[in-house]
Amino acid sequence: MESNRQAGIAAPAALVWLAMLLAAAAIVLASSWPTAAALAATGAPQAIGQASARPVIALSIDGPIGPAAADHVSKGLARARDRQAAAVVLRLDTPGGLDTSMREIVRTVLASPVPVVAWVGPGGARAASAGTFVLYASHLAAMAPGTNLGAATPVALGGSTPARSERSASEAKALNDAIAYVRSLAGLRGRNADWAESAVRDAASLPAEAARQRGVVELIAPTIEDLLAQAHGRTVRVGDADVALDVRGAAVETLVPDWRSRLLATITNPNVALLLLALGFYGLVLEFMHPGALVPGTVGGISLLVGLYALAALPFDHAGLALVLLGLALTAAEMFVPSFGILGIGGTAAFLLGAAILFDADAMPGLALSWVLVGGVALAGLAFSLLVGRLVVRSRRRRVVAGGEAMIGARGHVLDWAGARGHVLAHGERWNAESEHALERGQPIRVVGRDGLVLRVAIDERAAHHDQRIEAAARAERTRGAVRADRVSDDRRAS
């Protein structure tokens, strides 16, 4: 009975909590999904200069390099190959990103039969960290004035460059692997390998003009039109052949990410991934509480699977994930266990601690958790737990109004009585009753127990005293009425 009552109380609160998570997920998805205005700013397919049979395909990497960026570049280069494009202009403006995604882009560029011209632009853009590797892998490298590149130290080492004596074996392996990788790319394209090593080892950076002077890039171009004009006629090595770029006056087709790439970019955002995990977990819990509801289970299952897919694409800490799931489980347990908020508070603490170590912000430049969102989810979970605890306390104090327990404390009166047994009227029903007291017909009683279909009753002292007071007041009123009547009679006789 108690568990059913508590589940009934928790169900509306759980629905409210699930609706809050859905609203938060919708807000984050809306803010992460590129709008029509943003896509227009990126550029729909357009032409620059005179039309040509062999167009130039323009791609962009804006923001962190992740699975979505790798997917977009791969599709763009495949499109350029199918169109037999004269070249691909890969515009870069990135703080860095995931090592796995960066290496996937580099492999795609190296295998491309179409020359790739990497351009850091427009002014104010950067090709930091993983972006430096992509720039070194391109067949031709260019920068706009007011841009920079470098700072390519593997930040998974902790975000700083420790002294050689302080580096562990794993850190040294990661650093040396990155140095060998960037030097091999520099040797392949004939660029400054020593500076590339310093960018990885010492996090060195360069502005555009200094990069050209030191042989890191070949061109300085403020716009794509100027870039194509300078690149025309240059010879680059594509595979085993030397190819002369024929891009002067070529039509430039700007390819924006398709819906799949945009969806991938959205769900691999750590904030969205965390929300999806929470939404999926609570949706399944609500479905288990009320089998057959379908909507919470469907939404929860899809959200959980998509959230786990996002985690698989992101570098995460397993202990952090375990703490996040423990926090969600403790908060959900508040629905079933009357801990008066203890489980909810513990779940909130575990969730915050797990979120703090779930993703390494240094390993994902530009892909950091929003602590406003984390705090909002944690506070909402805590408020939910406290609300459930308060409702449980109130329900415990409330009188039972249904079932056999509802008869305890009920009041009624005696219909007939003989010895220790008789019949009473309680809750509008005639019951067999027994009592330790001798009772009389019409006497008020209170139910103190129940044994099957027989009630145990006792004299309702409170009701009896109330009846006595009423009877006494009635007798006094009758006495006063009689006195007034006598006085009136005497007055009439005297007159």
PDB file of all heavy atoms in Angstrom, residues 315-332:
ATOM      1  N   PRO A 315      36.258  11.568 -26.484  1.00  0.00           N
ATOM      2  CA  PRO A 315      37.122  11.013 -25.429  1.00  0.00           C
ATOM      3  C   PRO A 315      36.519  11.299 -24.055  1.00  0.00           C
ATOM      4  O   PRO A 315      36.364  12.454 -23.670  1.00  0.00           O
ATOM      5  CB  PRO A 315      38.444  11.769 -25.625  1.00  0.00           C
ATOM      6  CG  PRO A 315      38.051  13.061 -26.265  1.00  0.00           C
ATOM      7  CD  PRO A 315      36.846  12.783 -27.097  1.00  0.00           C
ATOM      8  N   PHE A 316      36.130  10.259 -23.344  1.00  0.00           N
ATOM      9  CA  PHE A 316      35.502  10.450 -22.042  1.00  0.00           C
ATOM     10  C   PHE A 316      36.169   9.552 -21.010  1.00  0.00           C
ATOM     11  O   PHE A 316      36.824   8.567 -21.339  1.00  0.00           O
ATOM     12  CB  PHE A 316      34.002  10.154 -22.114  1.00  0.00           C
ATOM     13  CG  PHE A 316      33.667   8.708 -22.324  1.00  0.00           C
ATOM     14  CD1 PHE A 316      33.407   7.875 -21.259  1.00  0.00           C
ATOM     15  CD2 PHE A 316      33.611   8.182 -23.612  1.00  0.00           C
ATOM     16  CE1 PHE A 316      33.106   6.533 -21.448  1.00  0.00           C
ATOM     17  CE2 PHE A 316      33.311   6.846 -23.822  1.00  0.00           C
ATOM     18  CZ  PHE A 316      33.056   6.032 -22.739  1.00  0.00           C
ATOM     19  N   ASP A 317      35.970   9.911 -19.754  1.00  0.00           N
ATOM     20  CA  ASP A 317      36.541   9.156 -18.643  1.00  0.00           C
ATOM     21  C   ASP A 317      35.494   8.168 -18.132  1.00  0.00           C
ATOM     22  O   ASP A 317      34.354   8.555 -17.837  1.00  0.00           O
ATOM     23  CB  ASP A 317      36.960  10.111 -17.518  1.00  0.00           C
ATOM     24  CG  ASP A 317      37.688   9.388 -16.410  1.00  0.00           C
ATOM     25  OD1 ASP A 317      37.029   8.902 -15.472  1.00  0.00           O
ATOM     26  OD2 ASP A 317      38.926   9.313 -16.480  1.00  0.00           O
ATOM     27  N   HIS A 318      35.866   6.901 -18.028  1.00  0.00           N
ATOM     28  CA  HIS A 318      34.906   5.880 -17.619  1.00  0.00           C
ATOM     29  C   HIS A 318      34.440   6.093 -16.177  1.00  0.00           C
ATOM     30  O   HIS A 318      33.266   5.839 -15.862  1.00  0.00           O
ATOM     31  CB  HIS A 318      35.514   4.485 -17.780  1.00  0.00           C
ATOM     32  CG  HIS A 318      35.728   4.089 -19.206  1.00  0.00           C
ATOM     33  ND1 HIS A 318      36.837   4.487 -19.933  1.00  0.00           N
ATOM     34  CD2 HIS A 318      34.977   3.339 -20.064  1.00  0.00           C
ATOM     35  CE1 HIS A 318      36.763   4.000 -21.158  1.00  0.00           C
ATOM     36  NE2 HIS A 318      35.647   3.301 -21.273  1.00  0.00           N
ATOM     37  N   ALA A 319      35.325   6.534 -15.299  1.00  0.00           N
ATOM     38  CA  ALA A 319      34.912   6.807 -13.920  1.00  0.00           C
ATOM     39  C   ALA A 319      33.908   7.956 -13.887  1.00  0.00           C
ATOM     40  O   ALA A 319      32.949   7.931 -13.110  1.00  0.00           O
ATOM     41  CB  ALA A 319      36.137   7.137 -13.066  1.00  0.00           C
ATOM     42  N   GLY A 320      34.119   8.961 -14.736  1.00  0.00           N
ATOM     43  CA  GLY A 320      33.176  10.069 -14.798  1.00  0.00           C
ATOM     44  C   GLY A 320      31.806   9.611 -15.258  1.00  0.00           C
ATOM     45  O   GLY A 320      30.772  10.020 -14.705  1.00  0.00           O
ATOM     46  N   LEU A 321      31.772   8.742 -16.281  1.00  0.00           N
ATOM     47  CA  LEU A 321      30.493   8.221 -16.753  1.00  0.00           C
ATOM     48  C   LEU A 321      29.806   7.402 -15.665  1.00  0.00           C
ATOM     49  O   LEU A 321      28.584   7.497 -15.482  1.00  0.00           O
ATOM     50  CB  LEU A 321      30.722   7.357 -17.997  1.00  0.00           C
ATOM     51  CG  LEU A 321      29.471   6.685 -18.586  1.00  0.00           C
ATOM     52  CD1 LEU A 321      28.450   7.716 -19.022  1.00  0.00           C
ATOM     53  CD2 LEU A 321      29.855   5.776 -19.758  1.00  0.00           C
ATOM     54  N   ALA A 322      30.589   6.599 -14.939  1.00  0.00           N
ATOM     55  CA  ALA A 322      30.007   5.796 -13.861  1.00  0.00           C
ATOM     56  C   ALA A 322      29.398   6.695 -12.781  1.00  0.00           C
ATOM     57  O   ALA A 322      28.310   6.414 -12.261  1.00  0.00           O
ATOM     58  CB  ALA A 322      31.075   4.885 -13.255  1.00  0.00           C
ATOM     59  N   LEU A 323      30.074   7.797 -12.450  1.00  0.00           N
ATOM     60  CA  LEU A 323      29.540   8.713 -11.442  1.00  0.00           C
ATOM     61  C   LEU A 323      28.279   9.413 -11.931  1.00  0.00           C
ATOM     62  O   LEU A 323      27.329   9.618 -11.171  1.00  0.00           O
ATOM     63  CB  LEU A 323      30.604   9.751 -11.064  1.00  0.00           C
ATOM     64  CG  LEU A 323      31.696   9.272 -10.111  1.00  0.00           C
ATOM     65  CD1 LEU A 323      32.807  10.312 -10.001  1.00  0.00           C
ATOM     66  CD2 LEU A 323      31.108   8.987  -8.736  1.00  0.00           C
ATOM     67  N   VAL A 324      28.267   9.794 -13.214  1.00  0.00           N
ATOM     68  CA  VAL A 324      27.066  10.433 -13.767  1.00  0.00           C
ATOM     69  C   VAL A 324      25.879   9.479 -13.709  1.00  0.00           C
ATOM     70  O   VAL A 324      24.775   9.848 -13.273  1.00  0.00           O
ATOM     71  CB  VAL A 324      27.322  10.896 -15.216  1.00  0.00           C
ATOM     72  CG1 VAL A 324      26.010  11.265 -15.909  1.00  0.00           C
ATOM     73  CG2 VAL A 324      28.252  12.090 -15.236  1.00  0.00           C
ATOM     74  N   LEU A 325      26.076   8.226 -14.129  1.00  0.00           N
ATOM     75  CA  LEU A 325      24.998   7.246 -14.090  1.00  0.00           C
ATOM     76  C   LEU A 325      24.580   6.937 -12.654  1.00  0.00           C
ATOM     77  O   LEU A 325      23.386   6.749 -12.379  1.00  0.00           O
ATOM     78  CB  LEU A 325      25.432   5.961 -14.804  1.00  0.00           C
ATOM     79  CG  LEU A 325      25.679   6.095 -16.312  1.00  0.00           C
ATOM     80  CD1 LEU A 325      26.136   4.765 -16.896  1.00  0.00           C
ATOM     81  CD2 LEU A 325      24.428   6.586 -17.021  1.00  0.00           C
ATOM     82  N   LEU A 326      25.551   6.899 -11.728  1.00  0.00           N
ATOM     83  CA  LEU A 326      25.208   6.680 -10.320  1.00  0.00           C
ATOM     84  C   LEU A 326      24.360   7.835  -9.792  1.00  0.00           C
ATOM     85  O   LEU A 326      23.380   7.621  -9.061  1.00  0.00           O
ATOM     86  CB  LEU A 326      26.483   6.535  -9.488  1.00  0.00           C
ATOM     87  CG  LEU A 326      26.289   6.403  -7.970  1.00  0.00           C
ATOM     88  CD1 LEU A 326      25.494   5.139  -7.641  1.00  0.00           C
ATOM     89  CD2 LEU A 326      27.627   6.398  -7.242  1.00  0.00           C
ATOM     90  N   GLY A 327      24.743   9.060 -10.171  1.00  0.00           N
ATOM     91  CA  GLY A 327      23.961  10.218  -9.732  1.00  0.00           C
ATOM     92  C   GLY A 327      22.539  10.167 -10.259  1.00  0.00           C
ATOM     93  O   GLY A 327      21.578  10.440  -9.525  1.00  0.00           O
ATOM     94  N   LEU A 328      22.377   9.801 -11.528  1.00  0.00           N
ATOM     95  CA  LEU A 328      21.034   9.689 -12.091  1.00  0.00           C
ATOM     96  C   LEU A 328      20.251   8.583 -11.397  1.00  0.00           C
ATOM     97  O   LEU A 328      19.053   8.725 -11.124  1.00  0.00           O
ATOM     98  CB  LEU A 328      21.129   9.408 -13.590  1.00  0.00           C
ATOM     99  CG  LEU A 328      21.749  10.517 -14.450  1.00  0.00           C
ATOM    100  CD1 LEU A 328      21.896  10.040 -15.896  1.00  0.00           C
ATOM    101  CD2 LEU A 328      20.919  11.790 -14.394  1.00  0.00           C
ATOM    102  N   ALA A 329      20.928   7.456 -11.100  1.00  0.00           N
ATOM    103  CA  ALA A 329      20.246   6.332 -10.446  1.00  0.00           C
ATOM    104  C   ALA A 329      19.798   6.703  -9.035  1.00  0.00           C
ATOM    105  O   ALA A 329      18.680   6.373  -8.622  1.00  0.00           O
ATOM    106  CB  ALA A 329      21.170   5.117 -10.407  1.00  0.00           C
ATOM    107  N   LEU A 330      20.641   7.406  -8.298  1.00  0.00           N
ATOM    108  CA  LEU A 330      20.264   7.805  -6.933  1.00  0.00           C
ATOM    109  C   LEU A 330      19.100   8.788  -6.956  1.00  0.00           C
ATOM    110  O   LEU A 330      18.200   8.718  -6.110  1.00  0.00           O
ATOM    111  CB  LEU A 330      21.472   8.433  -6.226  1.00  0.00           C
ATOM    112  CG  LEU A 330      22.619   7.478  -5.870  1.00  0.00           C
ATOM    113  CD1 LEU A 330      23.778   8.236  -5.244  1.00  0.00           C
ATOM    114  CD2 LEU A 330      22.134   6.387  -4.923  1.00  0.00           C
ATOM    115  N   THR A 331      19.122   9.706  -7.923  1.00  0.00           N
ATOM    116  CA  THR A 331      18.007  10.652  -8.027  1.00  0.00           C
ATOM    117  C   THR A 331      16.724   9.919  -8.375  1.00  0.00           C
ATOM    118  O   THR A 331      15.652  10.232  -7.835  1.00  0.00           O
ATOM    119  CB  THR A 331      18.313  11.713  -9.096  1.00  0.00           C
ATOM    120  OG1 THR A 331      19.568  12.349  -8.791  1.00  0.00           O
ATOM    121  CG2 THR A 331      17.231  12.765  -9.137  1.00  0.00           C
ATOM    122  N   ALA A 332      16.816   8.937  -9.278  1.00  0.00           N
ATOM    123  CA  ALA A 332      15.630   8.162  -9.631  1.00  0.00           C
ATOM    124  C   ALA A 332      15.162   7.303  -8.458  1.00  0.00           C
ATOM    125  O   ALA A 332      13.960   7.091  -8.277  1.00  0.00           O
ATOM    126  CB  ALA A 332      15.924   7.283 -10.842  1.00  0.00           C
TER     127      ALA A 332
END
